[in-house]
Amino acid sequence: MMNSMNVPSKRSTLERKLDKLILTLFATLFLMCFIGAIGSGVFINRKYYYLGLDESVEKQFNPNNRIVVAILTMFTLITLYSTIIPISLYVSIEMIKFIQSTQFINKDLNMYHVETNTPASARTSNLNEELGQVEYIFSDKTGTLTRNLMEFFKCSIGGDVYGTGITEIEIGGAQRNGMKVEEIPKLAAAIHEKGFNFDDARLMRGAWKNEPNPEICKEFFRCLAICHTVLPEGDESPEKIAYQAASPDEAALVTAAKNFGFFFYRRTPTSIMVRESHVEKMGKIQDVTYEILNVLEFNSTRKRQSVICRYPDGRLVLYCKGADTVIYERLADGNNDLRNLSREHLEQFGSAGLRTLCLAYRDLNMDLYESWNEKFIQAKSSLRDREKKLDEVSELIEKDLCLIGCTAIEDKLQEGVPSCIETLSRAGIKIWVLTGDKMETAINIAYACSLINNSMKQFIISSETDAIRDVESRGDQVEIARFMRDTVKQELKKCLEEAQHSLLTLSGPKLALIIDGKCLMYALDQALRKSLLELSLNCNSVVCCRVSPLQKAQVTSLVKKGARKITLSIGDGANDVSMIQAAHVGVGISGLEGMQAVMASDFAIAQFRFLSDLLLVHGRWSYLRICKVVTYFFYKNLTFTLTQFWFTFQTGFSGQRFYDDWFQSLYNVIFTALPVIIVGLFDKDVSAALSKKYPQLYMEGIRNNFFKWRVVAVWAVFSVYQSLVFFYFVTASGQRGHNPSGRMFGLWDVSTMGFTCVVITVNIRLLMACNSITRWHHISIWGSILAWFVFIFIYSGITTPWDRQENVYFTIYVLMGTFCFYLTLLLVPIFALLGDFAYHGIQRWFFPYDYQIIQEIHRHEIEIPSRARLQEVAIHLTADEERSYAIAQLPREKSRHTGFAFDSPGYESFFALQQGIHAPQKAWDVVRRASMRKTNVPKKK
């Protein structure tokens, strides 16, 4: 509860800027109405006798009260000019975003994880374009950058290191230093199962009894077998039993105890049963029942877990495991040699990229335990501040511990993480890793995934210094806090000065900041957070280790609010929920730690590497499309309304409408609605492959190049220009034009001709703005123009002359019988679009955007059709992926993701086809069928 946050309501940055644009349009509307109202008050005069402004005229046109005339005209013009406000814009955007999410993101095969049968999922459609503007990514480590498949790899017991394996991190570090590492071959008898990848004959099959400290080894194994909350399932045999644990770490530790000869096989509410081998003598196996008296559970604040148990002989023992920082604070005085040795081993394990835990125990006497247990029961039954009281009571007994040793668990990197991080870095995105692991582990994982390299200048702010340890050893909490705050302040000041000096040099190295949780707690203080933010923003990579979930959220909020940068948080566990909710965009990974992160996220993916597709392809496309939709809506509504505005000057500011009511009503609904939606769905400047090949294109979204006020101003200038062309060119042609009966064109003839020019021009202007033109673009644009002609033919034919005094009865038929109409339809759009054509030609030739350069480089390349691309994906599958596809083809009773978002996606059409039944095809089916054909090819003998 201490690390929880209120669930935020998220809106994209572009939407918030769109609100400002709408307010600007409202201001423009009121300015236009105010000009018209003032003009009406000035113009109204009885000298215009032909207007019939006598004493009986209504108030709106009574020259005796010009103020009333101006006010009433103001309201009339507000109604007349209301089309400048694009009400249908929000509906169109929501429709576009929804289809982008459900049809493009959710069905992208490049973000489909075969092994777990998990597609990407857009859990909201509000933030699609925000994905195209992310500048900072905050990532968890375990389960996000790594696989979260924990394996017991090494350990330290009584000052001795056990385990002979070499991790991927060690191999990578040696290669960076130009050294060649040869892996030690495993023994033939070495045990390897899920959660256990340990190889050292000194501890296996009872050989630990021959070690110098067999009693400490026994305490170590019992601590692993007893201090946990794991539930066993299945047969009570080592080969068939399965462990259900709150985290993969716990399951790995209990599995290790089993392989060391301490097999935990049964749990009751008050006891644990362990089958111990080789304890009294080699080969002897005995079942021992330990009574569990109390369980002091793990949480992110305590960073430790304890169990108080009673041996069959009555011995009372507290076993405790947790982070080295909290265990070392609670150790009894003395035995400094073991402490120092174990600390060195912890640093070695951390340097190898391993996750470490310290194990300790304490023998209790009955009087001490009973007095403490009374306080524990009171705290447990408390109705107020229960968690806080339990933590305080736990502190009373979790002290004077005896160190047993430490464990080292390996969690390998996910596939494609280094290349993904490198690609995102080239895209101008800065990546921060926020983890609860040791500093050494975090640093080496950062090296392994290309977040940090040897060419970077590293600023390390750590609480693990000799000076801080000396102060901590005195135990004065006030002095510790003061010293830590001063130390952090000095380190931040020194690092900031070095960073600024490095940035002033042209060839200075890239910068990286590594800070641990204790120092971060003081750095986030109000007096120091500004220095922390300034230093962090100057660094290309930041690694925060030993941080709590609340600190993750605080760091995210620091950049989000302090720097006003667009942030994305990605994690896989419940401890990442606060961080995911704090960022502009939250991404959950559907991993092995449950679905809490996914349920709290805005987007869900199965692997970290899919983030490059989500941001560089879908995010960037969505940003470009939504920007184009918004600016085009602004342009077409302003153009349409300004023609009415210019007409007002010709009518004495009377509020006379230029267009028929139906023209005005259907302009945004039918005649210009579909093309802009098609552009919002299908327009793309470069292909997905080129978007990932040239990740620098993403920087245009970070800089917000396509929705700046300058861009809006350019559209506004051309809107004003085109509206002037529409009105004055059309009215001029109407003055010289005559219908077949020799009469001059009237108001409705001119307005119908003008509206036709507007519909044709704004639709063709959208075609000019498209980067890619498909058949859907042609169908929507030419279909909208055709829809106008169909409508006006029907509307002007069914409207009878006696419906009202002024109408468009038979207007289009009269106009189409004149040469002037066709000449106007040809020349007016050409003159109107001439300025746009010249501007875009000059801009593309002399001031091109990055994507336009890429278009020119690859303009002769033909993009692979989508169906061929799916089959190509299937052809290049690895053997494991083919096997996964083949397994995925088998019918399943229930999807492992049922209840979340997917239940056997894409299977319906696949199995229906096998039965000869037609069903709608889904994207996965193409790959599955191609995979099935490939796997069914007979092998050559």
Side-chain angles (χ1 to χ4, degrees):
M1 295 297 292
M2 293 175 63
N3 292 285
S4 63
M5 297 180 65
N6 293 328
V7 179
S9 176
K10 296 183 180 181
R11 295 183 70 216
S12 70
T13 307
L14 194 146
E15 273 190 359
R16 288 193 291 270
K17 192 165 184 177
L18 174 59
D19 292 342
K20 296 179 182 178
L21 178 60
I22 298 298
L23 291 175
T24 304
L25 289 176
F26 269 108
T28 305
L29 170 63
F30 283 109
L31 177 62
M32 292 164 59
C33 294
F34 181 75
I35 292 172
I38 297 299
S40 177
V42 172
F43 176 83
I44 202 76
N45 199 308
R46 283 201 174 89
K47 68 179 181 180
Y48 304 112
Y49 62 89
Y50 49 84
L51 296 179
L53 302 177
D54 52 22
E55 295 297 334
S56 61
V57 74
E58 57 188 80
K59 292 182 179 180
Q60 184 174 352
F61 305 108
N62 192 341
N64 294 332
N65 197 338
R66 296 176 183 272
I67 294 177
V68 174
V69 170
I71 293 174
L72 294 177
T73 302
M74 181 85 169
F75 286 107
T76 301
L77 294 178
I78 287 176
T79 305
L80 196 62
Y81 299 154
S82 62
T83 52
I84 197 175
I85 308 300
I87 299 173
S88 60
L89 170 61
Y90 286 96
V91 178
S92 300
I93 286 179
E94 288 303 318
M95 188 184 304
I96 290 167
K97 287 182 177 181
F98 177 76
I99 296 174
Q100 284 176 349
S101 300
T102 57
Q103 299 301 315
F104 299 158
I105 294 177
N106 291 3
K107 294 186 178 181
D108 187 354
L109 272 177
N110 291 321
M111 295 192 293
Y112 172 60
H113 193 229
V114 180
E115 296 174 6
T116 58
N117 187 27
T118 309
S121 171
R123 297 177 52 78
T124 178
S125 60
N126 291 340
L127 303 171
N128 293 358
E129 68 276 15
E130 198 85 331
L131 292 171
Q133 296 183 274
V134 172
E135 189 170 356
Y136 285 87
I137 292 177
F138 300 92
S139 174
D140 179 39
K141 182 187 78 68
T142 305
T144 305
L145 300 176
T146 61
R147 301 178 185 178
N148 206 16
L149 297 174
M150 308 299 179
E151 293 184 330
F152 189 93
F153 198 72
K154 288 185 179 182
C155 61
S156 170
I157 306 175
D160 293 321
V161 175
Y162 298 93
T164 59
I166 299 176
T167 66
E168 294 177 346
I169 308 298
E170 288 177 301
I171 295 172
Q175 290 174 348
R176 286 193 303 272
N177 296 324
M179 300 168 58
K180 187 178 180 180
V181 178
E182 293 184 2
E183 247 188 289
I184 301 172
K186 290 191 176 184
L187 300 174
I191 300 172
H192 184 91
E193 66 171 289
K194 182 181 178 182
F196 189 75
N197 188 20
F198 181 85
D199 182 23
D200 196 328
R202 292 177 296 169
L203 294 185
M204 306 303 295
R205 297 176 178 82
W208 55 269
K209 291 184 68 68
N210 300 322
E211 290 299 295
N213 298 306
E215 290 301 316
I216 296 182
C217 290
K218 186 163 57 176
E219 292 292 348
F220 182 88
F221 300 144
R222 281 177 174 162
C223 184
L224 294 182
I226 296 171
C227 185
H228 58 78
T229 56
V230 175
L231 295 174
E233 289 184 352
D235 294 341
E236 295 178 355
S237 63
E239 296 80 15
K240 297 181 179 180
I241 199 165
Y243 293 125
Q244 296 297 325
S247 70
D249 300 76
E250 270 207 321
L253 294 176
V254 176
T255 302
K258 178 186 74 173
N259 287 291
F260 288 135
F262 289 72
F263 171 40
F264 159 65
Y265 65 91
R266 189 183 304 165
R267 176 188 288 275
T268 69
T270 58
S271 64
I272 275 181
M273 276 140 275
V274 180
R275 187 167 297 155
E276 299 181 350
S277 306
H278 319 295
V279 175
E280 295 183 2
K281 64 179 182 178
M282 292 296 292
K284 183 177 180 181
I285 300 174
Q286 57 185 2
D287 290 344
V288 183
T289 301
Y290 297 94
E291 184 182 357
I292 303 301
L293 302 176
N294 305 93
V295 177
L296 310 181
E297 295 183 356
F298 174 90
N299 62 46
S300 58
T301 305
R302 285 168 38 79
K303 297 182 180 179
R304 63 189 182 278
Q305 179 187 44
S306 299
V307 169
I308 300 175
C309 66
R310 180 184 282 121
Y311 278 45
D313 60 4
R315 178 190 176 196
L316 280 177
V317 183
L318 179 144
Y319 285 114
C320 183
K321 66 181 181 187
D324 56 307
T325 51
V326 295
I327 297 296
Y328 267 69
E329 291 173 351
R330 290 160 177 77
L331 294 179
D333 295 333
N335 208 355
N336 291 328
D337 292 340
L338 178 58
R339 284 192 188 191
N340 295 334
L341 275 173
S342 297
R343 193 185 292 275
E344 290 178 9
H345 296 160
L346 285 167
E347 291 176 357
Q348 291 175 15
F349 295 154
S351 300
L354 300 172
R355 296 164 57 86
T356 57
L357 281 177
C358 285
L359 307 184
Y361 76 99
R362 180 186 180 187
D363 284 309
L364 305 174
N365 59 60
M366 185 57 69
D367 294 337
L368 173 65
Y369 170 73
E370 288 180 349
S371 63
W372 173 86
N373 194 41
E374 290 179 3
K375 299 176 184 176
F376 181 77
I377 292 172
Q378 290 177 0
K380 199 171 184 178
S381 58
S382 176
L383 298 178
R384 297 183 60 184
D385 299 328
R386 180 172 173 271
E387 296 293 333
K388 181 181 177 182
K389 291 178 180 178
L390 281 174
D391 289 349
E392 290 172 353
V393 172
S394 299
E395 290 282 354
L396 299 176
I397 201 166
E398 290 175 326
K399 60 182 182 180
D400 298 329
L401 302 176
C402 297
L403 184 64
I404 303 173
C406 55
T407 63
I409 292 176
E410 182 181 24
D411 186 13
K412 296 180 180 180
L413 281 177
Q414 289 182 14
E415 179 187 350
V417 167
S419 60
C420 177
I421 288 179
E422 183 182 356
T423 301
L424 294 175
S425 298
R426 288 168 56 203
I429 300 173
K430 298 178 178 66
I431 301 173
W432 295 19
V433 173
L434 313 178
T435 178
D437 285 337
K438 283 178 61 64
M439 180 173 285
E440 293 81 5
T441 305
I443 290 174
N444 281 279
I445 290 293
Y447 266 107
C449 60
S450 302
L451 195 63
I452 296 176
N453 54 56
N454 289 330
S455 64
M456 283 184 168
K457 183 177 179 61
Q458 299 178 16
F459 301 118
I460 299 178
I461 302 177
S462 172
S463 60
E464 297 295 318
T465 63
D466 293 336
I468 293 176
R469 286 172 184 167
D470 290 341
V471 175
E472 287 178 339
S473 64
R474 298 172 199 157
D476 188 342
Q477 297 300 321
V478 177
E479 183 185 0
I480 292 171
R482 182 193 59 78
F483 186 80
M484 285 282 293
R485 185 177 290 103
D486 293 342
T487 302
V488 171
K489 184 177 180 180
Q490 293 172 5
E491 287 293 321
L492 284 175
K493 184 179 179 181
K494 183 183 75 172
C495 293
L496 186 57
E497 290 174 354
E498 291 183 20
Q500 291 173 341
H501 180 267
S502 178
L503 291 172
L504 291 175
T505 59
L506 294 176
S507 59
K510 291 183 177 181
L511 308 177
L513 171 65
I514 299 104
I515 184 170
D516 67 9
K518 282 186 178 179
C519 294
L520 185 62
M521 179 176 66
Y522 295 100
L524 288 171
D525 187 75
Q526 198 65 35
L528 299 179
R529 62 191 307 151
K530 184 177 179 181
S531 299
L532 173 65
L533 178 62
E534 192 174 350
L535 174 60
S536 301
L537 295 180
N538 288 330
C539 296
N540 295 82
S541 302
V542 176
V543 178
C544 301
C545 44
R546 288 296 191 208
V547 292
S548 67
L550 184 58
Q551 285 178 319
K552 291 181 179 182
Q554 288 173 336
V555 170
T556 305
S557 298
L558 177 67
V559 177
K560 177 183 176 181
K561 297 177 181 178
R564 296 187 179 276
K565 304 292 186 181
I566 297 180
T567 58
L568 180 147
S569 291
I570 179 170
D572 73 313
N575 60 338
D576 301 317
V577 168
S578 296
M579 175 178 72
I580 287 172
Q581 292 177 342
H584 289 92
V585 182
V587 178
I589 290 186
S590 50
L592 303 178
E593 291 194 14
M595 302 299 288
Q596 295 96 325
V598 169
M599 298 302 291
S601 67
D602 306 302
F603 299 89
I605 54 178
Q607 296 277 286
F608 183 87
R609 68 178 184 271
F610 297 154
L611 203 57
S612 60
D613 284 277
L614 187 63
L615 297 183
L616 304 186
V617 179
H618 293 285
R620 187 172 164 279
W621 281 350
S622 296
Y623 166 72
L624 292 173
R625 290 163 177 170
I626 297 299
C627 287
K628 191 166 292 184
V629 168
V630 171
T631 51
Y632 176 75
F633 253 97
F634 166 75
Y635 149 79
K636 72 183 181 70
N637 280 36
L638 184 61
T639 302
F640 178 71
T641 307
L642 284 176
T643 56
Q644 176 69 62
F645 180 65
W646 306 134
F647 180 67
T648 303
F649 286 87
Q650 309 297 321
T651 60
F653 307 96
S654 62
Q656 167 66 39
R657 53 196 170 87
F658 183 54
Y659 298 117
D660 184 84
D661 290 340
W662 280 103
F663 296 1
Q664 190 166 316
S665 300
L666 299 179
Y667 176 74
N668 282 320
V669 178
I670 295 179
F671 307 136
T672 60
L674 186 58
V676 71
I677 292 176
I678 294 298
V679 169
L681 293 175
F682 298 113
D683 188 59
K684 56 183 177 182
D685 52 353
V686 295
S687 65
L690 290 178
S691 294
K692 291 188 286 185
K693 183 178 180 180
Y694 301 100
Q696 294 84 352
L697 292 173
Y698 189 82
M699 294 182 188
E700 293 178 325
I702 295 176
R703 296 191 292 260
N704 194 23
N705 284 352
F706 303 109
F707 199 52
K708 292 181 176 179
W709 288 111
R710 178 179 60 82
V711 176
V712 175
V714 170
W715 282 91
V717 168
F718 286 112
S719 182
V720 172
Y721 163 73
Q722 290 182 13
S723 65
L724 288 169
V725 171
F726 292 143
F727 180 73
Y728 287 104
F729 275 48
V730 172
T731 53
S733 65
Q735 290 172 2
R736 292 170 176 79
H738 299 83
N739 60 27
S741 63
R743 297 174 60 185
M744 291 180 60
F745 286 152
L747 169 62
W748 302 114
D749 298 310
V750 174
S751 68
T752 302
M753 191 159 51
F755 190 83
T756 305
C757 292
V758 170
V759 170
I760 292 174
T761 304
V762 297
N763 278 290
I764 294 177
R765 176 63 185 88
L766 183 61
L767 199 63
M768 289 174 59
C770 295
N771 287 301
S772 59
I773 300 176
T774 66
R775 64 178 180 273
W776 300 110
H777 290 78
H778 287 295
I779 291 172
S780 62
I781 289 173
W782 304 117
S784 297
I785 296 174
L786 179 63
W788 155 247
F789 282 103
V790 171
F791 166 78
I792 190 60
F793 269 97
I794 297 174
Y795 179 58
S796 63
I798 63 175
T799 307
T800 56
W802 51 82
D803 283 342
R804 56 182 183 269
Q805 188 175 355
E806 300 170 335
N807 52 57
V808 292
Y809 177 66
F810 229 65
T811 300
I812 191 65
Y813 299 98
V814 173
L815 288 174
M816 293 191 73
T818 66
F819 174 75
C820 179
F821 176 71
Y822 297 103
L823 186 63
T824 302
L825 290 192
L826 176 65
L827 295 180
V828 170
I830 291 176
F831 276 103
L833 296 174
L834 192 60
D836 294 84
F837 186 80
Y839 171 80
H840 284 285
I842 293 170
Q843 180 269 318
R844 190 176 183 94
W845 276 99
F846 298 104
F847 311 100
Y849 287 113
D850 294 340
Y851 77 87
Q852 292 173 333
I853 297 173
I854 303 303
Q855 285 176 343
E856 292 298 324
I857 294 173
H858 297 275
R859 63 178 177 171
H860 298 300
E861 295 182 8
I862 300 174
E863 188 177 355
I864 302 172
S866 58
R867 184 175 295 274
R869 194 162 59 247
L870 296 182
Q871 292 176 346
E872 186 180 352
V873 170
I875 291 171
H876 290 88
L877 295 177
T878 64
D880 290 338
E881 288 174 333
E882 287 180 8
R883 189 158 48 252
S884 299
Y885 272 129
I887 293 171
Q889 292 165 6
L890 298 176
R892 300 181 183 181
E893 293 181 3
K894 185 177 181 181
S895 168
R896 65 192 298 269
H897 293 291
T898 299
F900 157 48
F902 294 95
D903 189 1
S904 302
Y907 276 40
E908 298 85 3
S909 57
F910 178 76
F911 290 116
L913 189 63
Q914 308 304 311
Q915 302 297 325
I917 303 170
H918 175 73
Q921 179 175 278
K922 295 195 176 181
W924 291 277
D925 294 339
V926 178
V927 175
R928 286 201 176 97
R929 284 197 291 275
S931 171
M932 184 179 69
R933 287 197 297 269
K934 185 171 173 57
T935 53
N936 288 340
V937 173
K939 296 181 179 179
K940 295 182 180 179
K941 296 183 179 180

